[in-house]
Amino acid sequence: MSSAPTRPAAVSLLIRILENGQTLDEALGQDEIFSSLSGPDRGFARAIASATLRHLGQINALVAGYVTGRDFKELDPHIRHLLQIGAAQICILKTPLHAAVSETVDAARRFEGSRRAGGLVNAVLRKLTPDSLSGDEVTARSAWPVWFQKLMTASVGDDLSEALAVSMQTTPPLDLTVKADPAGWAEKLGGHLIGPSSVRLDTGFADTLEGYEEGDWWVQDVAASLPVHVLAPKAGETILDLCAAPGGKTMQIAASGAKTIAVDRSAKRLRLVEQNLERTKLSASCIAADATRWSDPIKYHGVLVDAPCSALGTLRRHPEGPWVKRPDDLQRFPQIQSRLIANAAGRVRAGGRMVYCVCTPLPREGVDVVEAFLSENPGWTRDPIRADEAGAFAPSLTERGDLYTVPPVMSEQGGCDAFFISRLVQRAD
């Protein structure tokens, strides 16, 4: 049995996420205990934290029922998170009971707040079985906070909200967008083609794969690659990418041969775009500016509006989302999106096109924003996305001609993130 601090690392990650509001990616990049691990130990600590987050509401309800004499929510955070990771090991990862209990009890000694709680951790975890979270009465949505369940159900309905929750509870595959020869890269990497230019791998660490250092591809969910295919940039065109960071879509546009301008309000995040462009040997002009107000005398053949949003379509990659976001955080996006699409329209040349997209299933951030824009701007109309353009995603086309990728689309191939995509053009008259 490894003596590496895998369980303490998992607890430390949860402290950063659930107590301090960091994202999982931020915690993984900054936590000292996790950084001290390597190889399988590092992977196991991440798996424990991820499994806990993917089932957190269910786990909380389960372990709270076995805590006596005090309210589970009032326990020291380290004790709560120890109980959570113990339950995740037993019920989700199916770690042998003895190992899960003994190693988690040992981990309690690592933290000041839980040093004397070994008896409680032992008593609660020994009451759990691998089947404790199974049963028809346990819905996938119960993994979310109650307020988030209500929001999603009210916004997208019972069936879709449950499907989104189900998709969140499994680790997603690794999707790569390649600059050229996707079939060849699928063969080299042992993956398979998915979407217009993506290679899907079951799992893996991107920076260890062939072609990473050479910049032949970049990590990007297949659904996230679709907006650029809908925009269809061409060599000789000038294309504007608004809210460009971290740069996946910018690189797609640049790879088409179009002259590419990338705008993002965060200079720090824009540096990441520049680093990605450098690695992939692609070229784009990067401008740090607020895209809701930025103006430019140039009119563009095409504008991509990759609007900031609640990002609730990426929960399978960011399962911490429902726990680190707050209701007030989600209210501000439609207003920002409306200002953004209105300003973007002024950057489009006569006969040009604009693609608006968000990685969220919430209508108020997708179709409602587009409908409001069209009602206020009679000089613009939808250019419906065609089935032949959507390819395997054609079942995701809406009656209006937008693309709305949500579960269970592509479920047999490993699913995809939820994305809303709409293409707009100025009227010819």
Side-chain angles (χ1 to χ4, degrees):
M1 185 176 296
S2 172
S3 59
T6 53
R7 277 78 175 182
V11 170
S12 189
L13 291 172
L14 292 182
I15 288 290
R16 287 179 172 273
I17 295 165
L18 299 176
E19 307 304 322
N20 300 332
Q22 288 191 337
T23 67
L24 176 58
D25 288 343
E26 289 171 340
L28 291 169
Q30 298 176 23
D31 190 75
E32 293 181 3
I33 304 178
F34 180 77
S35 297
S36 72
L37 302 174
S38 61
D41 292 324
R42 189 181 183 91
F44 187 48
R46 178 172 182 162
I48 294 173
S50 179
T52 303
L53 293 167
R54 293 182 191 281
H55 299 266
L56 188 55
Q58 299 157 346
I59 287 173
N60 285 346
L62 174 65
V63 297
Y66 292 113
V67 174
T68 58
R70 69 199 85 174
D71 191 324
F72 172 71
K73 295 179 181 178
E74 296 177 357
L75 295 175
D76 182 276
H78 291 92
I79 301 174
R80 291 201 310 272
H81 301 326
L82 284 160
L83 292 172
Q84 289 162 347
I85 69 159
Q89 292 170 75
I90 295 167
C91 304
I92 310 302
L93 300 178
K94 309 302 181 185
T95 304
L97 182 63
H98 173 75
V101 174
S102 63
E103 293 292 321
T104 304
V105 169
D106 286 346
R109 304 187 182 100
R110 180 85 180 222
F111 305 103
E112 180 65 31
S114 59
R115 198 158 291 160
R116 299 179 181 178
L120 171 63
V121 173
N122 180 75
V124 172
L125 295 186
R126 288 198 175 279
K127 295 175 182 176
L128 307 185
T129 72
D131 297 325
S132 291
L133 286 181
S134 61
D136 294 339
E137 73 282 359
V138 180
T139 65
R141 275 175 292 179
S142 62
W144 295 336
V146 172
W147 75 265
F148 192 79
Q149 294 180 46
K150 293 179 179 178
L151 167 68
M152 295 301 286
T153 301
S155 299
V156 301
D158 287 331
D159 292 343
L160 181 51
S161 59
E162 184 71 7
L164 287 162
V166 169
S167 72
M168 191 190 82
Q169 295 189 350
T170 56
T171 303
L174 179 66
D175 289 353
L176 312 176
T177 300
V178 301
K179 287 195 292 188
D181 190 19
W185 277 107
E187 184 176 355
K188 285 181 185 179
L189 298 175
H192 63 274
L193 292 174
I194 187 168
S197 61
S198 298
V199 173
R200 171 159 289 182
L201 308 177
D202 291 337
T203 187
F205 294 97
D207 57 2
T208 66
L209 297 174
E210 181 182 355
Y212 174 80
E213 293 292 342
E214 296 77 11
D216 293 311
W217 48 259
W218 52 92
V219 176
Q220 185 180 34
D221 187 83
V222 63
S225 74
L226 298 177
V228 174
H229 290 292
V230 170
L231 185 65
K234 304 174 184 65
E237 292 187 323
T238 303
I239 302 295
L240 176 62
D241 181 9
L242 295 178
C243 309
K249 299 176 184 66
T250 305
M251 290 183 283
Q252 279 184 271
I253 297 168
S256 74
K259 182 179 179 181
T260 308
I261 311 297
V263 175
D264 198 279
R265 69 179 300 167
S266 169
K268 180 179 179 181
R269 282 170 55 80
L270 205 57
R271 286 195 290 273
L272 179 59
V273 178
E274 293 171 333
Q275 291 168 5
N276 285 327
L277 287 165
E278 182 178 0
R279 181 179 67 82
T280 55
K281 303 174 183 64
L282 294 169
S283 177
S285 297
C286 297
I287 300 171
D290 181 352
T292 64
R293 294 182 291 181
W294 178 74
S295 62
D296 186 357
I298 298 174
K299 298 292 186 179
Y300 295 85
H301 294 89
V303 175
L304 176 65
V305 185
D306 188 10
C309 68
S310 58
L312 300 184
T314 65
L315 294 182
R316 63 193 196 128
R317 300 187 186 279
H318 302 285
E320 74 280 4
W323 299 95
V324 300
K325 298 179 188 294
R326 297 293 180 267
D328 290 347
D329 297 336
L330 306 182
Q331 297 297 327
R332 60 190 178 93
F333 288 112
Q335 198 172 47
I336 295 171
Q337 292 153 351
S338 295
R339 296 201 305 268
L340 183 58
I341 193 173
N343 191 48
R347 312 276 73 76
V348 182
R349 64 187 294 174
R353 70 273 188 201
M354 174 169 62
V355 168
Y356 174 85
C357 65
V358 284
C359 56
T360 179
L362 300 185
R364 71 188 187 195
E365 298 182 49
V367 66
D368 292 354
V369 172
V370 170
E371 290 298 320
F373 170 79
L374 291 175
S375 69
E376 296 166 5
N377 295 271
W380 283 81
T381 186
R382 245 187 203 89
D383 180 13
I385 301 166
R386 304 186 308 273
D388 63 297
E389 294 177 289
F393 289 89
S396 297
L397 289 172
T398 70
E399 292 182 356
R400 293 181 173 95
D402 300 323
L403 198 57
Y404 185 47
T405 66
V406 292
V409 174
M410 306 294 286
S411 59
E412 294 183 0
Q413 292 89 357
C416 66
D417 290 348
F419 248 88
F420 172 84
I421 306 163
S422 186
R423 182 170 59 202
L424 310 173
V425 295
Q426 297 189 68
R427 295 183 187 273
D429 50 32

